[in-house]
Amino acid sequence: MVDYNKAFEGAVAAVRAEGRYRVFADLERMRGRFPSALYYGGHDQTGAGETAKAPREITVWCSNDYLGMGQHEAVVGAMKAAADRVGAGAGGTRNIAGTTHFHVQLERALADLHGKEAALLFTSGYVSNEATLSTISRILPDCVILSDELNHASMIQGIRDGRSIKRIWRHNDLEHLEALLQEFPAERPKVIAFESVYSMDGDIAPLKEICDLAEKYNAFTYLDEVHAVGLYGQRGGGVSERDGVAHRIDIIEGTLGKAFGVMGGYITANAAIIDAIRSYASGFIFTTALSPVLVAGALASVETLKQSNHLREQHQERAARLKALLAEEGFPVMPSVSHIVPVKVGDPVQCKRVTDYLLEEHNIYVQPINYPTVPKGTERLRLTPTPLHTDDHMATLLGALDDAWTVLKLKRAA
């Protein structure tokens, strides 16, 4: 007889043995007080084992709500107004009663943000990548997809599902990318899939040079800007806007759940591409549309950030200051040219111990980043300062890190 439960228990035990078991932090964000939140104690994946302790206030240092827009007055106000106006849900898929006027307005705003003819909303950034990349492979016969080796799991899954020939190029290595492009004739469809900001290391792709190669070898370009939209460019169009190459990229994909502070994903491109993805992508066709309440909030966030370059400037200043402070104090902060501030621990068990210690002893919340999110031996803390993290927040964080590094005997920078 097959003991099904034992198989699942064994799978979880294996993750625990490797030090990779993840415990969800039971948080309640405090509107108007970000980065503060209430912490209700940890629990396991099943929701069992919740503590009976009273909630306590903590400081969040790992949120992807990079600008605090999830609590912005304009965003929250738009969501309240939408709920009062149209109710909670969309009522169906986009094809069956689920396309509200809010969806149409947001797609127009996103197309405008990236200088494209059209846009298409999805329920998440993961879904937008998976659905679009798999659909591209079906539309372009005999397609070859060239994928950066550090692309997000959603891109990898979309490429797998499309079942095209795949070539992986070394991270940001233009010579290797060109060598792979040279393997295929000009008339064969080729898609270069890459990101702008790589969220674990904080480095940025050479967009202009990739576009040069795409034009030289007649390749199609697909750019994931999820960790850059809202944060780079004069209007928040991402690194492609900042570097002046958005018009050279065929599809720009983004998220509404990070810098824009709400939920959802999207792609932007010319009208023919968007119409084709809309017509063929099962991950779009058969999914209930985003709630118009969420869409209204995202629309308010996008339009607000188009006019709020000062927030982007403050964000970059905060990230640069934290990196400098960490380096001055001898912490192993990893090189990063973006807003991501990674601090290397190098061991999954120790990484979990340090984050537990920070939470329990100092009321500081940061998640351990372990394999498979990052390669083994590069386990780290991933700090994400926002414009709302003050100098006092940073001083408290550095003191807590110093204590944790001392108590747990962690390595300092060389």
Side-chain angles (χ1 to χ4, degrees), residues 31 71-84 296-297 300:
R31 185 187 169 196
Q71 301 192 357
H72 193 282
E73 182 178 354
V75 176
V76 176
M79 294 177 76
K80 287 181 175 179
D84 287 340

Side-chain angles (χ1 to χ4, degrees), residues 130-366:
E130 192 281 329
T132 303
L133 283 165
S134 62
T135 302
I136 287 172
S137 294
R138 291 194 290 272
I139 292 175
L140 297 177
D142 202 24
C143 175
V144 177
I145 296 187
L146 300 102
S147 175
D148 186 289
E149 68 177 334
L150 294 188
N151 278 343
H152 189 269
S154 58
M155 300 177 74
I156 295 170
Q157 191 61 51
I159 293 167
R160 286 174 177 163
D161 289 348
R163 299 181 182 179
S164 291
I165 290 177
K166 175 180 66 175
R167 292 288 186 271
I168 298 174
W169 49 292
R170 291 187 294 270
H171 179 54
N172 282 349
D173 187 331
L174 295 168
E175 290 185 3
H176 190 217
L177 173 59
E178 183 166 21
L180 293 177
L181 287 165
Q182 289 172 341
E183 294 181 7
F184 304 97
E187 62 272 14
R188 186 166 186 178
K190 296 173 289 294
V191 177
I192 305 174
F194 56 106
E195 301 182 32
S196 56
V197 176
Y198 287 85
S199 64
M200 292 300 123
D201 292 328
D203 57 342
I204 294 178
L207 302 192
K208 177 184 178 299
E209 290 77 9
I210 293 173
C211 289
D212 290 342
L213 288 176
E215 291 172 6
K216 181 178 179 180
Y217 293 98
N218 188 31
F220 187 96
T221 45
Y222 183 99
L223 173 63
D224 178 317
E225 285 258 44
V226 297
H227 289 277
V229 290
L231 303 176
Y232 296 86
Q234 190 65 29
R235 299 199 310 154
V239 177
S240 57
E241 183 197 3
R242 185 198 71 177
D243 293 356
V245 297
H247 65 288
R248 302 176 65 189
I249 296 170
D250 294 295
I251 295 180
I252 297 176
E253 183 265 351
T255 183
L256 303 168
K258 293 182 172 62
F260 294 126
V262 189
M263 179 184 176
Y266 66 89
I267 59 169
T268 63
N270 68 36
I273 293 172
I274 294 299
D275 204 18
I277 302 300
R278 181 185 71 85
S279 300
Y280 283 88
S282 59
F284 171 81
I285 295 170
F286 299 106
T287 299
T288 299
L290 282 167
S291 162
V293 176
L294 294 171
V295 176
L299 175 62
S301 185
V302 169
E303 296 296 0
T304 298
L305 286 180
K306 285 179 181 178
Q307 310 297 326
S308 303
N309 196 49
H310 65 283
L311 282 178
R312 285 180 280 278
E313 292 172 345
Q314 291 171 16
H315 185 224
Q316 291 295 320
E317 183 277 329
R318 293 284 82 189
R321 178 165 177 77
L322 182 58
K323 291 175 194 175
L325 291 172
L326 288 165
E328 287 172 10
E329 296 299 321
F331 292 104
V333 58
M334 302 168 71
S336 164
V337 295
S338 70
H339 57 282
I340 305 297
V341 184
V343 180
K344 185 175 179 180
V345 177
D347 176 86
V349 175
Q350 287 288 67
C351 201
K352 181 68 167 59
R353 283 175 179 165
V354 69
T355 56
D356 287 347
Y357 188 85
L358 290 171
L359 183 59
E360 296 306 321
E361 301 299 326
H362 295 279
N363 294 322
I364 287 175
Y365 173 57
V366 56

